[in-house]
Amino acid sequence: MAFFSVGSTLSSPGAHTSPASNASEHPSAPIPVQGAPVGSALRVPFGETGEEIFPLILGGAEFGWNVDLESSHEILDAFVERGGNALHTADSYSSGRSEHIIGQWLGARGLRDEMVLAVRVGGHADNPGLGSVNLVRAVEASLTRLKTDVIDVLYLDAVADSNTPLEDTLATTEWLVESGKVKSIGAVGYTAEQLVEARILSSAGFPRLKVLDVPFNVLRRHEFDPDLRLVAGAQNMAVTPSHALEHGFLAGRARTRRAGSLSVRSAQLAANLNRRGSRTLRALDAVGAELGVPDAAIAVAWLLAQKLVTAPIINAFASTHIEELVQGVGVPLSRAHLADIARAAD
């Protein structure tokens, strides 16, 4: 099922040797893969942003925190090798370190024009909130760290600021779009009522909110409530679920509590180490065993099977995790599979 597992830089051990050495290879040696990654042929519309993306977005939440620069670049390389072309980060991730790492990678690989770059702002300590001054400063700072002159999708983090009037925020984004610093606007933590208000304001000339980030996975279905679903669907918004693997729990590697562990990650995992979490992992195990793919791929496939979902935002600790996650794009889950997983997570 892992038909997105090979890319343009993956080849056999003799792929870069001379013709003479190639002739001496065993007849059963792997055939070198050349050309564009297999996954590069798969693109879906990114809502009404005008962009087309691979149906997974690589998040940079771990870059500069649990993953160092070299390993981060390996993860980014692995994602692109399998056809990925959309990245997500935030100015608050590792106080901007994530953006620095992605910016260095984009410059070193020369891939800025090929990538769709999404950035969430509002949570950085230096430029908190979505007020006009801080919003402009946050975007300028992100552009500098990312070594680029434009952000393709700017996510406005309403979780970080519930006080600034939406009209003021959208007025500032209007200037950012007109000045060429931002192409499209997305939303994080907005309620259904706020999305309706934003659409009314867009009729007055303000930029439309075209993308919605909501914490959503099989264990957090309630956070994408019916009203929010209805409004997002009516506005034809691209939905990009964050926490696709519930802090890594749905990858199935953590099954027991670690004695004495006080890390943030351990606490996040421990929150789901209960009967419901165990039932859910067993359901993922069963479907994964039937289809021959890991739990992480089934968790991704479940999200992609949900109406309105365009591309989950995934995070990885190692380049090998990318191999597992992209398999979820090619996994067709039946209605029975979906029902079994949902029932286990109830």
Side-chain angles (χ1 to χ4, degrees), residues 2-169:
F3 55 87
F4 292 111
S5 62
V6 292
S8 59
T9 63
L10 301 181
S11 58
S12 69
H16 300 290
T17 56
S18 65
S21 62
N22 285 339
S24 64
E25 286 184 0
H26 191 278
S28 65
I31 299 174
V33 178
Q34 299 180 353
V38 177
S40 64
L42 180 57
R43 295 289 184 263
V44 296
F46 197 6
E48 297 182 349
T49 66
E51 307 285 355
E52 292 194 342
I53 62 173
F54 184 76
L56 283 180
I57 301 172
L58 179 61
E62 306 297 337
F63 298 166
W65 180 31
N66 290 312
V67 184
D68 61 22
L69 184 145
E70 182 179 356
S71 298
S72 298
H73 285 192
E74 290 175 358
I75 291 169
L76 288 159
D77 287 338
F79 183 64
V80 171
E81 286 167 4
R82 286 153 181 79
N85 73 324
L87 305 177
H88 173 275
T89 186
D91 63 353
S92 60
Y93 291 164
S94 301
S95 299
R97 180 62 178 164
S98 173
E99 291 179 318
H100 274 297
I101 290 173
I102 292 174
Q104 290 176 16
W105 178 82
L106 288 171
R109 302 298 187 270
L111 291 175
R112 176 63 187 94
D113 292 341
E114 285 72 39
M115 306 303 293
V116 176
L117 187 57
V119 180
R120 187 174 81 196
V121 295
H124 196 285
D126 291 343
N127 306 297
L130 301 175
S132 297
V133 174
N134 278 346
L135 181 53
V136 171
R137 288 177 176 173
V139 169
E140 294 283 6
S142 289
L143 290 172
T144 299
R145 288 189 289 265
L146 289 162
K147 302 182 187 300
T148 186
D149 56 2
V150 63
I151 293 171
D152 296 310
V153 178
L154 180 71
Y155 285 89
L156 304 172
D157 190 355
V159 177
D161 184 354
S162 59
N163 297 318
T164 301
L166 182 56
E167 183 174 359
D168 292 349
T169 297

Side-chain angles (χ1 to χ4, degrees), residues 225-239:
D225 63 73
D227 289 343
L228 197 56
R229 288 173 183 259
L230 179 63
V231 174
Q235 296 186 8
N236 198 30
M237 299 182 76
V239 176

